[in-house]
Amino acid sequence: MVARAMWKGQLRLSLVSIPVELYSATKTGARISFRQIHEPTGKPIRYEKVVDGHGPVDADEIVKGFEYDKGNYVLLDPDEIEAVKLETRKTLELVQFVGSCEISPLYYDKPYYVVPTDELAEDAYRVVRDALRKSEKVGLGQLAMRGHEYLCAIRPCGDGLLLETLHYADEIRKADPLFSEISGAGADEELLEVATALIDRKTAKFDPKVFKDHYADALRDLIDSKTKSKTSKRVDTGDDDKPAKGGDNVVDLMSALKKSLETSDGKKKAAAAKPSASRSTKTESKAAAKPKTAPRKKSA
């Protein structure tokens, strides 16, 4: 599956602008996900947007509201929000540089790969990458994406650049109230020496491949075991389990294609077995004499 750019714009350093694209550096597909099932009926749980005293509502009836006072909201139309123009929607300007170890891990949020859009942009891109690497600095800037303006740090990453969104200062919870009960006294020297020796013995170069998600592996083993067991409880959600918009998958597509093929074959057979004109006219007359009934609605 081809990766989709999360943001497209210009990476700017002073008067130099480099066309770039952002791609998420992490993936969630490797994680095990579950679907909630209503056990008595075996049907999947669905969530609807509802209004008290009104019931389900359509998506085009929903607007954003900001609670400026308890129970009081000012409403904002999507077009009004879209009209808020920020330069950072299309430009990420590196406005400051700091030492690569100066930013506390507390501030790091989500990583993205920064990729030049074409060969013309690549020359300037490599200059910025190598300059950051040589100076051992991280570039700071801001960009607007998905309705938020993010503080960002850019650093070299292999042959490219890595952007990491950062939390703003007011988003970080102070540690003082939580750590205030911990004594400020130093550790026992003898115990400290043993602990330091143990750390030295276990020190090695970081290799993420060494670490495995044991919980996910155990879940996969459990699922595999229950799938193979004939006594495991199972449900068939049926054909009415329609995916949400934009959530089509290969299984649903294959099912739709097969149904289309069956319908096409059925029409061909019906055409081949079509009755003569006189017989068809009689049949139509009988059908016209019968009272019409409303088509039965399919259950949701």
Side-chain angles (χ1 to χ4, degrees):
M1 183 178 179
V2 179
R4 183 173 60 88
M6 311 292 289
W7 183 87
K8 296 180 180 181
Q10 306 282 328
L11 173 63
R12 182 186 296 169
L13 175 59
S14 189
L15 298 178
V16 178
S17 293
I18 310 167
V20 296
E21 297 176 341
L22 292 190
Y23 295 88
S24 178
T26 59
K27 57 182 181 179
T28 57
R31 296 180 180 176
I32 293 177
S33 60
F34 294 100
R35 181 78 184 268
Q36 290 186 325
I37 303 294
H38 182 231
E39 189 173 12
T41 62
K43 299 294 183 182
I45 300 295
R46 292 177 181 165
Y47 296 93
E48 290 183 310
K49 293 185 178 181
V50 298
V51 174
D52 290 341
H54 177 80
V57 297
D58 295 330
D60 57 4
E61 298 176 329
I62 301 174
V63 297
K64 293 183 183 294
F66 176 80
E67 189 174 21
Y68 63 90
D69 201 1
K70 186 66 175 178
N72 294 304
Y73 294 82
V74 60
L75 303 182
L76 291 90
D77 190 86
D79 292 335
E80 293 178 310
I81 297 174
E82 183 65 23
V84 176
K85 300 296 184 184
L86 289 174
E87 186 180 358
T88 52
R89 289 182 65 181
K90 291 297 181 182
T91 303
L92 167 58
E93 183 171 5
L94 300 180
V95 297
Q96 184 184 346
F97 298 88
V98 299
S100 56
C101 297
E102 286 186 36
I103 304 174
S104 168
L106 271 174
Y107 287 89
Y108 288 105
D109 182 25
K110 186 171 175 57
Y112 296 87
Y113 294 127
V114 184
V115 181
T117 57
D118 51 45
E119 291 184 5
L120 292 175
E122 194 174 306
D123 288 339
Y125 177 92
R126 289 199 305 267
V127 171
V128 172
R129 177 201 64 193
D130 294 347
L132 288 173
R133 180 172 284 132
K134 185 176 181 179
S135 62
E136 297 183 349
K137 293 291 194 297
V138 173
L140 298 179
Q142 290 175 281
L143 69 80
M145 177 174 61
R146 293 186 167 183
H148 297 279
E149 187 175 51
Y150 296 93
L151 174 61
C152 307
I154 287 187
R155 66 177 74 239
C157 176
D159 292 331
L161 291 170
L162 181 73
L163 179 147
E164 293 173 275
T165 55
L166 305 175
H167 294 291
Y168 287 100
D170 58 2
E171 295 177 326
I172 301 297
R173 178 181 295 170
K174 293 185 180 297
D176 294 344
L178 302 172
F179 292 163
S180 60
E181 300 298 322
I182 301 174
S183 173
D188 179 83
E189 285 296 329
E190 205 170 322
L191 294 174
L192 181 61
E193 186 177 341
V194 174
T196 304
L198 185 59
I199 290 172
D200 290 340
R201 185 182 301 174
K202 290 181 173 288
T203 297
K205 188 175 181 180
F206 176 62
D207 181 5
K209 294 180 181 178
V210 172
F211 299 90
K212 304 296 182 183
D213 188 342
H214 300 297
Y215 181 66
D217 289 343
L219 276 179
R220 288 190 182 93
D221 289 341
L222 174 62
I223 293 169
D224 186 54
S225 174
K226 291 185 72 66
T227 302
K228 292 178 180 178
S229 174
K230 295 181 179 180
T231 60
S232 296
K233 186 181 293 186
R234 303 164 189 263
V235 295
D236 183 355
T237 59
D239 294 335
D240 62 339
D241 181 24
K242 297 179 181 178
K245 291 182 179 179
D248 295 343
N249 52 40
V250 176
V251 176
D252 295 314
L253 178 58
M254 181 61 75
S255 176
L257 290 173
K258 285 183 177 179
K259 285 184 179 179
S260 299
L261 188 61
E262 290 171 2
T263 304
S264 177
D265 289 342
K267 287 181 179 179
K268 287 181 181 178
K269 290 177 181 178
K274 191 174 181 179
S276 62
S278 58
R279 184 178 176 184
S280 175
T281 305
K282 291 179 181 179
T283 305
E284 289 175 359
S285 300
K286 289 181 180 180
K290 291 184 179 180
K292 294 184 179 179
T293 56
R296 183 178 297 175
K297 294 183 179 179
K298 294 183 179 180
S299 59

